[in-house]
Amino acid sequence: MKYLVIDEDGPIRLRTAPRWDVARRDVGPEGWDRVSLPNAAAVYGPEHVTVAGYVNDCSALPGSRYARNLVGSCVLASLGAHARPYMGPVLLVGWDPDPHSADVEIRSLTDEQIAAIRQIHDDVRLVLRLTPGVPSRNATPAWREAMRAVAEIVRTGPAPQMTVLTDDDAMAHLFRGARR
Protein backbone atom coordinates (compact mmCIF):
# COMPACT_ATOMS: atom_id res chain seq x y z
CA MET A 1 0.00 0.00 0.00
CA LYS A 2 1.18 3.52 -0.79
CA TYR A 3 0.85 6.24 1.84
CA LEU A 4 2.34 9.63 2.72
CA VAL A 5 4.07 10.77 5.90
CA ILE A 6 4.58 14.42 6.81
CA ASP A 7 7.45 14.64 9.26
CA GLU A 8 7.47 17.05 12.20
CA ASP A 9 9.92 19.37 10.46
CA GLY A 10 7.75 19.55 7.33
CA PRO A 11 9.05 17.23 4.57
CA ILE A 12 6.63 14.78 2.95
CA ARG A 13 7.64 11.23 2.05
CA LEU A 14 5.92 8.63 -0.09
CA ARG A 15 6.14 5.27 1.64
CA THR A 16 4.98 1.77 0.88
CA ALA A 17 4.11 -1.07 3.22
CA PRO A 18 2.74 -4.56 2.72
CA ARG A 19 -0.03 -4.00 5.30
CA TRP A 20 -1.70 -1.26 7.32
CA ASP A 21 -0.22 -2.45 10.64
CA VAL A 22 3.26 -1.90 9.15
CA ALA A 23 2.38 1.55 7.77
CA ARG A 24 0.95 2.85 11.06
CA ARG A 25 4.30 2.31 12.78
CA ASP A 26 5.32 5.61 11.16
CA VAL A 27 3.24 7.55 13.70
CA GLY A 28 5.22 6.08 16.60
CA PRO A 29 5.16 3.05 18.84
CA GLU A 30 2.72 4.42 21.43
CA GLY A 31 -0.42 4.10 19.32
CA TRP A 32 -2.48 5.89 16.69
CA ASP A 33 -5.62 7.95 16.32
CA ARG A 34 -7.61 8.66 13.14
CA VAL A 35 -8.17 12.30 12.23
CA SER A 36 -11.49 12.98 10.51
CA LEU A 37 -11.00 14.62 7.08
CA PRO A 38 -14.53 15.39 5.83
CA ASN A 39 -13.41 17.50 2.84
CA ALA A 40 -11.17 14.77 1.41
CA ALA A 41 -13.95 12.73 -0.22
CA ALA A 42 -15.43 15.60 -2.18
CA VAL A 43 -12.15 17.14 -3.24
CA TYR A 44 -9.44 14.51 -3.53
CA GLY A 45 -10.78 10.98 -3.44
CA PRO A 46 -12.29 8.92 -6.23
CA GLU A 47 -15.80 7.58 -5.71
CA HIS A 48 -16.11 5.63 -2.41
CA VAL A 49 -12.44 6.11 -1.50
CA THR A 50 -11.29 9.11 0.47
CA VAL A 51 -8.23 10.05 2.49
CA ALA A 52 -7.73 9.41 6.19
CA GLY A 53 -5.18 11.02 8.48
CA TYR A 54 -3.50 9.36 11.44
CA VAL A 55 -1.42 10.80 14.26
CA ASN A 56 0.16 9.42 17.41
CA ASP A 57 -2.51 9.09 20.10
CA CYS A 58 -0.07 9.95 22.91
CA SER A 59 1.73 12.81 21.20
CA ALA A 60 -0.01 15.60 23.14
CA LEU A 61 0.56 14.13 26.59
CA PRO A 62 2.86 16.03 28.94
CA GLY A 63 6.43 14.85 28.52
CA SER A 64 5.83 13.55 24.99
CA ARG A 65 8.84 13.49 22.69
CA TYR A 66 6.77 14.75 19.76
CA ALA A 67 6.84 18.34 18.51
CA ARG A 68 4.04 20.31 16.89
CA ASN A 69 3.79 19.46 13.21
CA LEU A 70 3.09 22.84 11.61
CA VAL A 71 2.92 21.73 7.98
CA GLY A 72 1.12 18.46 8.75
CA SER A 73 -1.48 20.30 10.85
CA CYS A 74 -2.14 22.75 8.01
CA VAL A 75 -2.48 19.93 5.45
CA LEU A 76 -4.93 18.12 7.76
CA ALA A 77 -6.93 21.35 8.24
CA SER A 78 -7.00 21.87 4.47
CA LEU A 79 -8.64 18.44 4.19
CA GLY A 80 -11.24 19.37 6.82
CA ALA A 81 -9.64 18.40 10.14
CA HIS A 82 -10.16 20.60 13.18
CA ALA A 83 -7.62 23.41 13.31
CA ARG A 84 -5.42 22.50 16.26
CA PRO A 85 -1.84 21.48 16.95
CA TYR A 86 -1.16 17.92 15.79
CA MET A 87 2.09 16.58 17.15
CA GLY A 88 4.49 14.11 15.60
CA PRO A 89 4.36 12.57 12.14
CA VAL A 90 1.14 12.80 10.13
CA LEU A 91 0.22 9.70 8.14
CA LEU A 92 -2.17 9.94 5.16
CA VAL A 93 -3.73 6.81 3.64
CA GLY A 94 -6.61 5.90 1.39
CA TRP A 95 -9.82 5.14 3.24
CA ASP A 96 -12.96 3.32 2.11
CA PRO A 97 -15.87 4.57 4.21
CA ASP A 98 -18.35 1.99 2.82
CA PRO A 99 -19.80 0.22 5.90
CA HIS A 100 -20.90 -2.72 3.72
CA SER A 101 -17.40 -3.48 2.46
CA ALA A 102 -16.04 -6.91 3.37
CA ASP A 103 -12.46 -5.69 3.01
CA VAL A 104 -10.33 -3.68 5.40
CA GLU A 105 -11.19 0.01 5.17
CA ILE A 106 -7.59 1.25 4.76
CA ARG A 107 -6.53 1.54 1.15
CA SER A 108 -3.46 2.53 -0.79
CA LEU A 109 -3.47 6.16 -1.90
CA THR A 110 -4.15 6.62 -5.59
CA ASP A 111 -1.69 8.52 -7.76
CA GLU A 112 -4.26 11.34 -8.03
CA GLN A 113 -4.58 11.56 -4.25
CA ILE A 114 -0.80 11.59 -3.83
CA ALA A 115 -0.46 14.39 -6.39
CA ALA A 116 -3.25 16.43 -4.74
CA ILE A 117 -1.84 16.04 -1.22
CA ARG A 118 1.66 16.89 -2.43
CA GLN A 119 0.27 20.06 -4.04
CA ILE A 120 -1.45 21.07 -0.79
CA HIS A 121 1.76 20.32 1.11
CA ASP A 122 3.85 22.40 -1.30
CA ASP A 123 1.34 25.28 -1.19
CA VAL A 124 1.32 25.24 2.64
CA ARG A 125 5.12 25.47 2.72
CA LEU A 126 5.06 28.34 0.20
CA VAL A 127 2.25 30.27 1.93
CA LEU A 128 4.02 29.96 5.30
CA ARG A 129 7.27 31.07 3.64
CA LEU A 130 9.08 27.89 4.63
CA THR A 131 10.29 27.56 1.05
CA PRO A 132 10.70 30.23 -1.63
CA GLY A 133 8.40 30.41 -4.61
CA VAL A 134 4.83 31.11 -5.63
CA PRO A 135 1.87 28.93 -4.58
CA SER A 136 -0.26 27.17 -7.20
CA ARG A 137 -3.50 28.61 -8.58
CA ASN A 138 -5.34 26.24 -6.23
CA ALA A 139 -4.10 28.30 -3.28
CA THR A 140 -6.80 30.96 -3.38
CA PRO A 141 -6.42 34.12 -1.29
CA ALA A 142 -9.04 32.83 1.18
CA TRP A 143 -7.23 29.49 1.51
CA ARG A 144 -3.90 31.26 2.02
CA GLU A 145 -5.35 33.37 4.81
CA ALA A 146 -6.94 30.30 6.39
CA MET A 147 -3.61 28.44 6.36
CA ARG A 148 -1.87 31.40 8.02
CA ALA A 149 -4.58 31.39 10.71
CA VAL A 150 -4.24 27.62 11.21
CA ALA A 151 -0.45 28.01 11.44
CA GLU A 152 -0.88 30.57 14.21
CA ILE A 153 -3.17 28.20 16.11
CA VAL A 154 -0.61 25.41 15.72
CA ARG A 155 2.27 27.61 16.84
CA THR A 156 0.60 29.24 19.85
CA GLY A 157 -2.59 27.33 20.67
CA PRO A 158 -2.91 25.01 23.63
CA ALA A 159 -2.24 21.35 23.11
CA PRO A 160 -5.37 19.20 23.06
CA GLN A 161 -6.54 18.26 26.54
CA MET A 162 -6.96 14.73 27.76
CA THR A 163 -8.99 13.62 30.75
CA VAL A 164 -8.06 10.38 32.47
CA LEU A 165 -10.94 8.70 34.26
CA THR A 166 -10.77 6.04 36.90
CA ASP A 167 -13.12 3.09 36.58
CA ASP A 168 -15.39 4.67 39.22
CA ASP A 169 -15.47 8.00 37.34
CA ALA A 170 -16.37 6.25 34.07
CA MET A 171 -19.14 4.20 35.71
CA ALA A 172 -20.56 7.29 37.44
CA HIS A 173 -20.63 9.12 34.10
CA LEU A 174 -22.36 6.21 32.35
CA PHE A 175 -24.99 5.78 35.06
CA ARG A 176 -25.65 9.50 35.29
CA GLY A 177 -26.63 9.47 31.60
CA ALA A 178 -28.89 6.45 32.13
CA ARG A 179 -30.90 8.20 34.88
CA ARG A 180 -32.09 10.99 32.63
Side-chain angles (χ1 to χ4, degrees):
M1 72 174 276
K2 294 188 292 189
Y3 62 100
L4 292 167
V5 176
I6 304 172
D7 293 323
E8 290 173 317
D9 53 354
I12 191 168
R13 296 178 288 129
L14 177 62
R15 303 282 313 256
T16 60
R19 299 179 318 274
W20 163 235
D21 63 315
V22 175
R24 73 176 175 225
R25 293 176 190 163
D26 278 319
V27 298
E30 297 84 2
W32 51 271
D33 192 21
R34 187 168 73 86
V35 179
S36 179
L37 304 175
N39 296 349
V43 181
Y44 303 105
E47 185 177 353
H48 303 299
V49 178
T50 62
V51 175
Y54 288 86
V55 295
N56 185 291
D57 68 347
C58 296
S59 60
L61 293 176
S64 170
R65 64 184 175 104
Y66 299 99
R68 292 172 187 235
N69 189 330
L70 179 65
V71 175
S73 296
C74 287
V75 170
L76 289 173
S78 186
L79 294 170
H82 292 288
R84 69 173 185 83
Y86 292 94
M87 282 73 150
V90 170
L91 181 84
L92 295 158
V93 297
W95 172 262
D96 185 353
D98 183 1
H100 306 293
S101 174
D103 294 331
V104 177
E105 297 166 332
I106 302 297
R107 301 281 188 253
S108 183
L109 287 171
T110 66
D111 292 338
E112 294 81 17
Q113 290 169 321
I114 292 167
I117 294 167
R118 282 186 181 277
Q119 184 65 64
I120 294 168
H121 172 269
D122 292 348
D123 283 341
V124 165
R125 291 183 58 82
L126 291 165
V127 166
L128 300 182
R129 296 190 175 133
L130 300 172
T131 55
V134 178
S136 74
R137 292 184 311 191
N138 295 334
T140 64
W143 182 85
R144 293 176 192 198
E145 188 59 35
M147 289 303 102
R148 288 186 198 102
V150 169
E152 186 61 25
I153 290 168
V154 173
R155 286 183 185 115
T156 64
Q161 298 292 315
M162 181 176 141
T163 302
V164 178
L165 298 176
T166 65
D167 289 343
D168 292 339
D169 292 338
M171 294 304 289
H173 178 73
L174 289 173
F175 287 120
R176 183 183 63 199
R179 284 184 257 166
R180 290 183 184 175

